[in-house]
Amino acid sequence: MHVIYGGTFDPIHHGHLRLALEMADALQVERVDLMPCHIPPHRSGTGATSAQRLDMIRIAINGESRLGVDDRELQRGGASFTADTLLQLRRELGSEQPLVMVVGTDAFASFDRWQEWREIPGLAHIVVVRRPGADLPQGSPARCLLDERRAVRVSDLQQAPAGKILEFEAPLMDISATGIRQRIADGRSPRYLLPDPVLQRIHEQGLYGACPDRNF
Ligand code: ATP
């Protein structure tokens, strides 16, 4: 089973990292690949460049063999449409190997606005992770799709290459990149919400309005 976990990672934080490891355990895989997007289609710009976000991911996962990084969306350039990425991965993996995409409920709630979203279940399974403060309203397209394709257990994902959606309850960590960027911009410390080496890099490079000469 090949597992990818996409996002903007602007910057990567402990919510992402814990979730990725929880997924590796729950799905019983040797590795989960974090996949930063280049130009996120559904939001206006990023605080750090693609290269800086990738660099922070590499720093964060250094020494953790169960977490990897897949930078194909940065290499490809342009808007990062998930359907394009999954198609490319599906070609590489062949038609039989299960491919799993992990998303939070906040991202999945707008699934029906993703480019070519109807193609996605044919290419991969989706694991939807409950995120604090983000629900899927009854009757919403995302909720209906989930109900239609619901997987009951992890083995449902192992038995087919694509097409199932598993709702997953991970331990909740109410951390967001927005909250981290806001704290930095306000001159407050975001320490312990993200790895120290990542925070150090943010200060060195003056990202998100951080003061390079101020101690984190
Ligand atoms: P921002 O605040 O800038 O929107 P973010 O913290 O939501 O950023 P993203 O890079 O947008 O981070 O998230 C990537 C994926 O990780 C999304 O699917 C999102 O739902 C999920 N995610 C992010 N933070 C958490 C968290 N604390 N718990 C569970 N899922 C999370």
Side-chain angles (χ1 to χ4, degrees):
M1 189 144 73
H2 189 88
V3 183
I4 57 162
Y5 172 30
T8 316
F9 303 112
D10 189 26
I12 189 160
H13 54 67
H14 283 139
H16 299 131
L17 291 160
R18 269 312 315 161
L19 174 59
L21 271 191
E22 296 286 347
M23 291 316 310
D25 283 340
L27 300 176
Q28 298 157 33
V29 290
E30 282 178 11
R31 202 184 73 224
V32 168
D33 279 345
L34 303 171
M35 186 181 285
C37 62
H38 180 47
I39 298 176
H42 299 288
R43 50 196 279 168
S44 52
T46 54
T49 66
S50 296
Q52 287 165 334
R53 290 182 290 115
L54 177 63
D55 179 46
M56 289 188 280
I57 294 173
R58 291 214 164 106
I59 293 171
I61 65 173
N62 184 29
E64 176 48 69
S65 62
R66 300 184 73 198
L67 300 183
V69 60
D70 183 334
D71 66 353
R72 70 182 60 230
E73 293 191 342
L74 308 192
Q75 301 291 348
R76 196 167 69 223
S80 301
F81 294 121
T82 303
D84 295 344
T85 304
L86 295 176
L87 188 60
Q88 197 184 11
L89 269 165
R90 176 50 71 202
R91 287 195 183 121
E92 288 170 21
L93 296 170
S95 56
E96 299 300 317
Q97 192 179 153
L99 170 60
V100 177
M101 167 179 82
V102 178
V103 289
T105 35
D106 56 321
F108 187 66
S110 59
F111 188 70
D112 58 309
R113 294 201 294 278
W114 296 15
Q115 179 102 340
E116 299 193 53
W117 63 277
R118 287 176 203 281
E119 307 304 317
I120 291 177
L123 296 166
H125 298 301
I126 305 172
V127 173
V128 181
V129 182
R130 187 77 73 94
R131 180 122 193 236
D135 281 325
L136 301 174
Q138 287 300 333
S140 65
R143 162 70 53 198
C144 294
L145 192 73
L146 197 157
D147 289 340
E148 265 166 40
R149 294 180 170 272
R150 184 180 294 280
V152 182
R153 53 187 76 81
V154 169
S155 58
D156 294 342
L157 308 184
Q158 288 157 339
Q159 282 159 14
K164 293 282 184 194
I165 306 182
L166 180 72
E167 227 177 348
F168 183 79
E169 296 274 349
L172 300 180
M173 291 184 82
D174 197 359
I175 303 175
S176 72
T178 304
I180 291 171
R181 293 194 302 272
Q182 193 61 54
R183 277 184 178 77
I184 296 171
D186 294 346
R188 290 181 292 138
S189 173
R191 195 166 183 200
Y192 306 131
L193 297 175
L194 72 176
D196 273 350
V198 173
L199 186 53
Q200 197 168 350
R201 182 56 56 93
I202 289 172
H203 275 271
E204 280 163 14
Q205 301 198 339
L207 302 179
Y208 312 116
C211 232
D213 48 2
R214 195 169 140 182
N215 204 342
F216 68 88

